[in-house]
């Protein structure tokens, strides 16, 4: 596929020809919230790896036709996900049972739009990349397209909302916590159980399948090699890993309070690097690490080495029920921190709805986090979802969203 318009050709990424050019653009493009410490990505030699785990994916590049210079790129993927719910009525034992069931639609996701700093705001490179990507989405049956961008990235917001017809849709929060040199204490009133993928799938489908953006192929996510496991927190003395009866029996008679969380290994997909920090900040960070390593029992909130490439673990599928669910989420986050420490990660991150009640159990540093990310959405065509909810772009937000780790 390819499209020529005067000086710019938009075509599919060719690893043999384009790898060096794409890496060069990636290095020169700043990623992360404006006005904060800058985050730069390193795709570990595989620019398409961030979408490769999705059911359908593509990467496009923009090339100067005469110079054969890569000046921009974009990635996209397509999946089937929940866009709402409807009530289902079933008769059982002479009684009518009413329960919510998910309504699915085919939705596409745009990520990794980059334009070389030397070619921005001229030639319409970003617009050409987005329009060609949407063309591929339509060709593959996507009914909606969405993307995430920083709320204060005015150039990006203007491109998508003013020129491409997207509307502002959801404003989740990205919560990032550093991994300290010491292990975090996990409450001894909580037992953490690792679920097998089949039990994790049952739990998610039974409890969270009507959550917005829940992927219908959740089994593929949970069985992916990048998934480090799903963990269930229950009151101490309720179950052990050996005595856990399975998700079917657990959900038939659940604990008064419980929480669940899965962990995705972004470290094997990309690394991050904080740039722009002053010498004073670097020195202070180093000092906190030295103290933390020397006196781990003090639980010093040390700053890890973020000024060279580091990896992260992404926490997803966060949910729970009961009056102590927030406390149990905090215990799971502590468990995840310790796992990240053992695996050499610099930070752990989660993305949740700004209205999510369980977000108060997720430790994070404000300086590293983004209080209001922006998701924009566009309807690409008629909605052929199973049991249509109408125009999804006009639907009110719920309390929760399910953030697919393949798209983080």
């Amino acid at each position: 596929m390819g499209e020529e318009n005067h000086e710019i050709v938009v075509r599919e990424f060719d690893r043999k020809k384009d790898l060096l050019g794409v890496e060069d653009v990636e290095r020169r493009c700043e990623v992360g919230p404006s006005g904060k410490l800058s985050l730069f990505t390193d795709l570990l030699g595989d620019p398409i790896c961030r979408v490769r785990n999705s059911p359908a994916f593509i990467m496009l590049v923009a090339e100067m036709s005469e110079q054969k210079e890569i000046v921009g790129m974009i990635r996209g993927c397509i999946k089937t996900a929940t866009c709402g719910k409807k009530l289902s009525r079933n008769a059982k034992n002479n009684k009518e049972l009413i329960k919510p069931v998910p309504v699915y639609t085919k939705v596409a996701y745009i990520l990794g739009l980059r334009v070389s700093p030397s070619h921005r705001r001229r030639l319409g490179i970003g617009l050409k990349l987005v329009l060609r990507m949407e063309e591929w989405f339509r060709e593959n049956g996507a009914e909606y397209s969405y993307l995430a961008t920083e709320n204060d990235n005015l150039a990006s917001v203007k491109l998508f909302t003013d020129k491409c017809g997207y509307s502002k849709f959801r404003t989740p929060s990205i919560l990032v916590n550093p991994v300290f040199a010491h292990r975090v204490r996990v409450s001894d009133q909580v037992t953490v159980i690792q679920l097998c993928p089949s039990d994790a799938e049952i739990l998610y489908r039974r409890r969270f399948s009507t959550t917005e953006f829940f992927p219908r192929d959740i089994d593929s996510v949970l069985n992916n090699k990048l998934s480090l496991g799903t963990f269930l927190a229950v009151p101490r003395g309720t179950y052990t890993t050996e005595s856990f009866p399975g998700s079917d029996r657990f959900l038939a008679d659940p604990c008064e309070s419980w929480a669940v969380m899965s962990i995705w290994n972004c470290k094997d997909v990309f690394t991050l690097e904080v740039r722009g920090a002053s010498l004073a900040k670097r020195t202070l960070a180093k000092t906190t690490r030295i103290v933390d390593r020397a006196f781990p029992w003090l639980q010093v909130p040390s700053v890890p080495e973020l000024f060279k490439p580091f990896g992260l673990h992404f926490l997803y599928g966060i949910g729970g029920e009961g009056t102590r669910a927030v406390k149990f989420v905090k215990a799971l986050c502590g468990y995840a921190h310790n796992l990240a420490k053992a695996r050499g990660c610099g930070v752990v991150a989660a993305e949740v709805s700004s209205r999510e009640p369980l977000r108060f159990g997720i430790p994070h540093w404000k300086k590293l986090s983004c209080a209001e990310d922006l998701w924009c959405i566009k309807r690409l065509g008629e909605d052929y979802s199973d049991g249509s909810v109408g125009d999804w772009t006009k639907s009110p937000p719920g309390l929760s969203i399910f953030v697919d780790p393949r798209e983080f």
Side-chain angles (χ1 to χ4, degrees):
M1 90 181 69
E3 175 186 309
E4 183 167 344
N5 189 326
H6 301 298
E7 299 176 308
I8 302 296
V9 174
V10 175
R11 58 172 174 76
E12 190 168 349
F13 168 74
D14 183 325
R15 182 181 177 83
K16 290 182 179 179
K17 294 194 304 182
D18 304 330
L19 180 59
L20 293 179
V22 165
E23 288 180 339
D24 181 61
V25 173
E26 192 77 46
R27 277 193 298 269
R28 291 189 286 130
C29 288
E30 182 176 317
V31 182
S34 305
K36 292 178 178 281
L37 296 178
S38 302
L39 294 180
F40 287 73
T41 63
D42 169 16
L43 296 175
L44 303 179
D46 187 2
I48 206 167
C49 62
R50 289 190 66 186
V51 291
R52 191 182 296 281
N53 293 292
S54 298
F57 59 88
I58 196 173
M59 178 172 174
L60 304 176
V61 296
E63 180 184 59
M64 298 289 288
S65 58
E66 293 185 5
Q67 297 89 340
K68 302 299 180 184
E69 176 189 1
I70 300 299
V71 293
M73 63 270 197
I74 191 171
R75 303 170 184 89
C77 53
I78 302 173
K79 66 181 179 185
T80 299
T82 299
C83 62
K85 59 186 175 183
K86 62 181 180 180
L87 296 180
S88 174
R89 291 174 170 81
N90 294 307
K92 186 176 183 180
N93 298 328
N94 296 320
K95 294 183 179 179
E96 187 178 52
L97 300 178
I98 301 176
K99 66 175 184 178
V101 296
V103 175
Y104 291 107
T105 191
K106 203 166 185 181
V107 59
Y109 183 66
I110 291 175
L111 74 161
L113 173 61
R114 306 279 189 269
V115 176
S116 175
S118 59
H119 291 80
R120 289 176 184 168
R121 297 174 181 85
R122 50 190 288 254
L123 304 175
I125 295 171
L127 179 60
K128 289 182 175 70
L129 285 165
V130 173
L131 293 179
R132 185 62 192 93
M133 181 60 74
E134 289 180 350
E135 199 178 308
W136 183 81
F137 289 161
R138 290 188 180 94
E139 290 169 356
N140 287 272
E143 296 155 18
Y144 294 92
S145 171
Y146 78 107
L147 62 110
T149 186
E150 294 85 27
N151 200 31
D152 56 0
N153 186 340
L154 300 182
S156 177
V157 173
K158 185 175 181 179
L159 169 65
F160 286 103
T161 59
D162 292 357
K163 296 182 179 180
C164 298
Y166 285 74
S167 56
K168 296 180 181 181
F169 191 55
R170 302 291 183 256
T171 53
S173 301
I174 300 176
L175 307 178
V176 181
N177 205 47
V179 175
F180 309 126
H182 64 268
R183 287 176 57 85
V184 170
R185 296 191 185 104
V186 178
S187 171
D188 59 6
Q189 298 303 306
V190 178
T191 296
V192 176
I193 299 168
Q194 182 168 0
L195 302 180
C196 66
S198 60
D199 271 328
E201 180 186 354
I202 290 170
L203 191 151
Y204 279 128
R205 290 197 189 278
R206 296 276 183 86
R207 282 294 193 267
F208 306 110
S209 64
T210 58
T211 301
E212 204 171 41
F213 291 99
F214 180 85
R216 184 149 68 176
D217 65 335
I218 185 64
D219 53 321
S220 296
V221 178
L222 297 172
N223 284 287
N224 192 287
K225 64 180 181 180
L226 294 174
S227 184
L228 299 179
T230 299
F231 303 89
L232 178 70
V234 295
R236 181 183 179 184
T238 308
Y239 300 111
T240 63
T241 300
E242 292 74 22
S243 67
F244 183 69
S247 290
D248 274 322
R249 291 178 62 184
F250 172 76
L251 292 174
D253 184 24
C255 309
E256 183 275 329
S257 293
W258 57 273
V260 66
M261 173 187 293
S262 297
I263 304 176
W264 188 263
N265 181 19
C266 292
K267 183 182 178 183
D268 286 353
V269 180
F270 60 87
T271 58
L272 302 171
E273 181 180 352
V274 176
R275 296 182 181 177
S278 66
L279 178 61
K281 289 181 179 179
R282 290 171 180 262
T283 302
L284 177 61
K286 184 176 182 179
T287 301
T288 64
R289 292 195 299 275
I290 292 173
V291 174
D292 196 5
R293 291 192 183 101
F295 309 103
W297 58 87
L298 293 178
Q299 301 278 295
V300 174
S302 57
V303 181
E305 179 55 90
L306 304 179
F307 311 112
K308 61 182 180 180
F310 64 90
L312 72 84
H313 284 173
F314 181 66
L315 313 180
Y316 71 100
I318 300 169
E321 296 178 357
T323 57
R324 294 185 290 166
V326 170
K327 176 182 177 181
F328 287 9
V329 166
K330 184 176 181 180
L332 287 174
C333 288
Y335 185 93
H337 171 280
N338 294 339
L339 178 62
K341 177 183 180 300
R343 296 177 63 89
C345 284
V347 300
V348 291
E351 186 166 15
V352 295
S353 168
S354 56
R355 305 175 66 204
E356 173 61 65
L358 298 180
R359 66 181 304 213
F360 298 104
I362 304 174
H364 61 281
W365 280 16
K366 186 176 179 180
K367 186 65 177 177
L368 297 175
S369 302
C370 176
E372 192 173 277
D373 199 20
L374 176 63
W375 288 12
C376 298
I377 195 168
K378 177 179 180 178
R379 193 174 187 177
L380 297 176
E382 293 300 318
D383 188 344
Y384 301 108
S385 58
D386 181 17
S388 176
V389 294
D391 187 351
W392 188 19
T393 67
K394 295 180 173 59
S395 64
L399 288 178
S400 303
I401 56 174
F402 195 101
V403 180
D404 193 325
R406 298 172 295 189
E407 298 169 0
F408 182 76

